[in-house]
């Protein structure tokens, strides 16, 4: 039997011919079984979560019907529940976070890969990694203590005064300047996803062939022109995928959003209005929902909705990243 055939047999689980003569070779099947067990545990864990959310929330969906997904009523007293406000808040704050985070991540990534001196790349890169490791609740505390007062005192009042007489924009910038609301939640979420998006942007921009960039510089292009006409077009698909990955992370953030969004059950177009997300509603109400109650089942159905949304976003992002990175 040639070496290729032997290697194929070993890959399919057959013992290596040389291993029969090595002490301890009998442990190899146990080692492989342990590896299969570790990998299978992930699938079992994922399946158990899906089953819990689906079957746990099914009674609520059967009780309210498909209108559960767009109803804006959430009343524990009358036991009337709908996910419309939470789905709106989740998507609204996630999109706000992307609008804020994407240009900042572009700037940081291009600075690190093209402009920053070597002495600065390492400390800034480490700072980004440390920022990614900060727990969500720390961001929430920082948001309450620092961001909310700043928004209430210096950001929201002038914006309300500036846009209050402009027909369309007045709906976006109306409301009390409390500091809590969708915009503050979007800002906090943006700071939380910037490290992840930036790390992927750096990897994508570094994958651009040096020859292309040097050729552009050789014909007189400026740094901005190389960024706009070479780096971004080359990794466009992967950049979109990385952005979607950050969006998926923003959708599921819980504690930081719970602290700063205001936790109100209403839909408003205003950036300063209080609202709620799926994650913040679950965090606030799940401890008070008795097991088996309609409220508990509605919260489980909310969790299933968030799982489906996150799965779709992450699947699209992974597909784009894989097809876009050369």
């Amino acid at each position: 039997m040639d070496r290729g055939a032997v290697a194929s047999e070993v890959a399919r689980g057959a013992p290596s011919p040389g291993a029969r003569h090595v002490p301890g070779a009998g442990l190899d099947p146990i080692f492989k079984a342990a590896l299969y067990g570790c990998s299978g545990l992930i699938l079992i864990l994922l399946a158990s979560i899906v089953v819990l959310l689906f079957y746990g929330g099914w009674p609520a969906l059967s009780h309210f019907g498909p209108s559960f997904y767009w109803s804006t009523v959430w009343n524990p007293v009358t036991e009337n529940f709908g996910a419309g406000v939470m789905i709106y808040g989740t998507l609204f704050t996630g999109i706000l976070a992307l609008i804020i985070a994407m240009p900042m991540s572009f700037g940081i990534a291009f600075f690190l890969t093209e402009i920053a001196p070597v002495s600065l790349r390492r400390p800034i890169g480490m700072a980004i990694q440390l920022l990614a490791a900060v727990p969500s609740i720390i961001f929430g505390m920082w948001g309450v203590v620092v961001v909310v007062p700043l928004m209430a005192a210096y950001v929201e009042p002038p914006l309300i005064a500036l846009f209050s007489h402009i027909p369309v924009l007045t709906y976006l910038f109306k409301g009390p300047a409390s500091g809590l609301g969708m915009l503050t939640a979007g800002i906090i979420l943006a700071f939380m996803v910037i490290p992840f998006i930036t790390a992927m942007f750096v990897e994508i921009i570094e994958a651009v062939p040096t020859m292309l960039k040097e050729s552009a510089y050789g014909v007189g292009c400026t740094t901005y022109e190389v960024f706009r006409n070479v780096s971004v077009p080359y990794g466009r698909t992967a950049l979109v995928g990385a952005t979607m990955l950050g969006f998926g992370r923003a959708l599921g953030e819980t504690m930081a959003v719970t602290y700063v969004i205001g936790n109100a059950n209403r839909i408003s177009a205003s950036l300063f209005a209080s609202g709620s997300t799926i994650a913040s509603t679950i965090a606030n109400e799940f401890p008070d929902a008795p097991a088996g109650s309609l409220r508990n089942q509605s919260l489980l159905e909310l969790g299933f909705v968030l799982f489906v949304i996150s799965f779709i976003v992450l699947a699209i992002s992974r597909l784009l990243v894989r097809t876009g990175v050369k």
Side-chain angles (χ1 to χ4, degrees):
M1 185 179 295
D2 59 14
R3 292 182 178 181
V6 172
S8 300
E9 291 296 327
V10 172
R12 284 195 289 268
S16 171
R20 297 189 184 114
H21 309 291
V22 177
L27 296 176
D28 199 41
I30 299 175
F31 177 67
K32 290 181 179 178
L35 296 182
Y36 275 104
C38 293
S39 303
L41 181 62
I42 297 299
L43 298 177
I44 294 172
L45 178 63
L46 179 62
S48 66
I49 292 174
V50 173
V51 169
L52 167 69
L53 295 177
F54 181 78
Y55 284 102
W58 180 255
L61 186 60
S62 300
H63 182 81
F64 296 110
S67 63
F68 175 84
Y69 297 120
W70 57 78
S71 171
T72 58
V73 177
W74 187 273
N75 192 335
V77 177
T78 60
E79 291 201 327
N80 191 7
F81 302 105
V85 173
M86 296 78 180
I87 294 175
Y88 172 81
T90 300
L91 297 177
F92 193 99
T93 53
I95 292 172
L96 271 181
L98 276 192
I99 293 173
I100 298 169
M102 197 164 64
M104 294 184 67
S105 299
F106 261 124
I108 297 170
F110 198 70
F111 176 77
L112 288 176
T113 54
E114 299 294 333
I115 297 176
V118 177
S119 58
L120 275 181
R121 292 182 184 179
R122 186 174 179 82
I124 293 178
M126 289 184 64
I128 293 173
Q129 293 175 5
L130 289 174
L131 198 60
V134 175
S136 172
I137 195 169
I138 301 299
F139 273 104
M141 295 164 62
W142 176 74
V144 171
V145 175
V146 177
V147 179
V148 170
L150 289 177
M151 293 290 290
Y154 302 106
V155 178
E156 295 181 358
L159 288 177
I160 293 173
L162 180 64
F163 295 108
S164 60
H165 304 295
I166 301 177
V168 177
L169 295 180
T170 186
Y171 293 104
L172 279 177
F173 297 95
K174 69 177 182 180
S178 64
L180 300 172
M182 294 290 193
L183 181 59
T184 306
I187 292 173
I188 298 297
L189 282 175
F191 288 143
M192 296 180 69
V193 302
I194 278 175
F196 297 94
I197 299 178
T198 300
M200 297 200 68
F201 279 3
V202 168
E203 185 178 340
I204 294 165
I205 294 175
E206 285 181 342
V208 178
T210 305
M211 182 182 65
L212 292 179
K213 292 186 284 189
E214 290 181 348
S215 300
Y217 284 122
V219 296
C221 291
T222 63
T223 304
Y224 171 71
E225 289 171 335
V226 171
F227 171 72
R228 188 188 65 181
N229 299 320
V230 177
S231 298
V232 172
Y234 185 86
R236 181 185 295 114
T237 307
L239 291 171
V240 174
T243 304
M244 294 289 287
L245 203 59
F247 182 53
R249 176 171 170 77
L251 291 176
E253 287 297 340
T254 307
M255 294 312 299
V257 176
T258 305
Y259 279 22
V260 299
I261 198 170
N263 300 304
N265 186 54
R266 62 171 175 264
I267 291 179
S268 173
S270 174
L271 294 171
F272 306 144
S274 297
S276 61
T277 65
I278 293 176
S280 67
T281 301
I282 294 174
N284 281 325
E285 301 201 15
F286 200 77
D288 299 327
S293 64
L294 192 58
R295 187 181 183 186
N296 178 273
Q297 293 160 351
S298 299
L299 290 170
L300 289 173
E301 183 61 24
L302 276 182
F304 184 73
V305 172
L306 180 61
F307 180 87
V308 171
I309 295 174
S310 301
F311 178 79
I312 292 173
V313 172
L314 291 177
I316 294 174
S317 65
R318 291 291 183 186
L319 179 64
L320 292 174
V321 169
R322 286 180 181 177
T323 56
V325 175
K326 306 293 183 182

